[in-house]
Amino acid sequence: MPNTLHNDHIQQLQTLYQGSELLVALFDASDTLRYANPAFRQAYHLADSAMPTWVQLMRDNYQQQTGTVIRTSDFDTWLGSALSRRGKQCYRMLETDLHDGRWILMTETVNEAGWMLCTGVDISKLAVGERSLRTARDLALRAASTDELTGLSNRRHILALMEAQLARPGQHCVAILDIDFFKQINDRHGHPFGDLVLVDFARYLQSQLRRSDGVGRLGGEEFMLVLPDTALTQAGQLLQHLLSGLHQSRAIGEQCDFSYSCSGGLTQLLPGDSVQCAYHRADAALYRAKQNGRQRLETG
């Protein structure tokens, strides 16, 4: 008998999920909720008809002090760090605590189309001491992969994401972006304002990318994008859209009408590539973009 689900099987599965204490949710490729069983909705204080994005769900949790406990004084930096890990693997397990006192083991399973199945089980009865040790370990691992200022992946983590794509079949691209005239921004407005620009740039990049895309800070004003399952032409269109939208004026700190731009170097990962070779091609393309007038994208 073929291993396929017929309509009656799907109906039985949905009925079981509806009555299960297991937390079950399905998010589409844009990270918008498409299904959640009653246990999930109760845990995260969602109305029966609510279908938020995962970002909005977490923001509501933070603001209303419901659902997931988010321990931070800077939600956007926490969000940047969380997004740097969410959906980057086909399968992931993590532990989280809820405001109702429960401790949840959550799994995330992502298919090739980018849809994510989340399941959570109550593990509150596990020894508190063991839980504390695992939490401390997870926080240490998270800190080791996160850029402290922006909350994005740090250099080591984003290069590891690129290396993971080299092992996968298919078309994948990598880009290096550099904020134009960043030294002048620091000299004119001061380094604290320069840090605000870096944070603004990080938030902008995350708002333009898919959940499966990786984004990290290489250092200074340089950032890297890892674009899995993306042909060079498609990646170029995405980057051109990103560069053109960035130049619009925005409020940053006390500057109500500030604008800046960036330059980019883009390359496609090739069979037999190494991290160093792909990095060198993207970096060389970025150098040409700087030499050719900035606020532009070059391909290498």
Side-chain angles (χ1 to χ4, degrees), residues 39-240:
F40 187 96
R41 290 187 178 278
Q42 185 274 331
Y44 290 93
H45 292 252
L46 281 172
D48 290 345
S49 60
M51 294 293 183
T53 64
W54 181 83
V55 169
Q56 189 58 55
L57 175 60
M58 291 298 103
R59 192 177 297 277
D60 289 345
N61 280 187
Y62 182 69
Q63 293 174 346
Q64 300 167 13
Q65 295 295 286
T66 58
T68 298
V69 176
I70 300 174
R71 296 181 178 89
T72 183
S73 59
D74 184 345
F75 174 80
D76 287 326
T77 298
W78 175 90
L79 181 64
S81 177
L83 288 172
S84 72
R85 296 180 301 279
R86 180 171 170 81
K88 305 303 185 291
Q89 301 170 271
C90 295
Y91 180 78
R92 184 170 76 122
M93 295 176 58
L94 62 150
E95 296 178 18
T96 183
D97 52 340
L98 303 180
H99 278 284
D100 63 14
R102 286 183 290 169
W103 190 258
I104 302 297
L105 175 65
M106 186 70 70
T107 68
E108 298 174 349
T109 306
V110 184
N111 68 9
E112 292 183 357
W115 285 63
M116 176 186 287
L117 175 67
C118 298
T119 62
V121 61
D122 188 347
I123 56 171
S124 303
K125 293 181 180 179
L126 292 181
V128 175
E130 294 178 6
R131 182 193 308 172
S132 299
L133 287 173
R134 292 196 307 275
T135 300
R137 176 206 62 195
D138 291 345
L139 288 174
L141 290 173
R142 188 180 307 170
S145 66
T146 301
D147 176 64
E148 185 176 358
L149 176 64
T150 64
L152 300 181
S153 296
N154 59 17
R155 182 185 183 90
R156 181 172 65 177
H157 190 237
I158 194 64
L159 290 178
L161 289 179
M162 176 168 67
E163 187 171 21
Q165 296 309 314
L166 288 171
R168 292 182 60 239
Q171 300 183 79
H172 317 296
C173 289
V174 168
I176 299 178
L177 304 179
D178 184 277
I179 298 175
D180 294 329
F181 303 111
F182 187 71
K183 184 178 183 302
Q184 294 182 18
I185 294 175
N186 276 333
D187 291 345
R188 183 175 303 173
H189 300 281
H191 287 273
F193 183 81
D195 285 349
L196 293 179
V197 172
L198 292 173
V199 171
D200 179 82
F201 188 50
R203 301 291 171 267
Y204 174 76
L205 291 178
Q206 284 192 315
S207 72
Q208 301 299 307
L209 299 176
R210 304 164 298 183
R211 183 182 59 207
S212 58
D213 298 330
V215 54
R217 184 183 176 201
L218 294 171
E221 66 272 27
E222 276 197 349
F223 294 74
M224 175 175 279
L225 307 184
V226 177
L227 308 172
D229 303 308
T230 307
L232 189 63
T233 301
Q234 180 186 358
Q237 293 172 348
L238 186 153
L239 267 294
Q240 292 288 5

Side-chain angles (χ1 to χ4, degrees), residues 268-282:
Q268 183 171 339
L269 301 184
L270 304 174
D273 248 343
S274 66
V275 169
Q276 292 78 11
C277 287
Y279 186 105
H280 176 75
R281 289 200 306 276

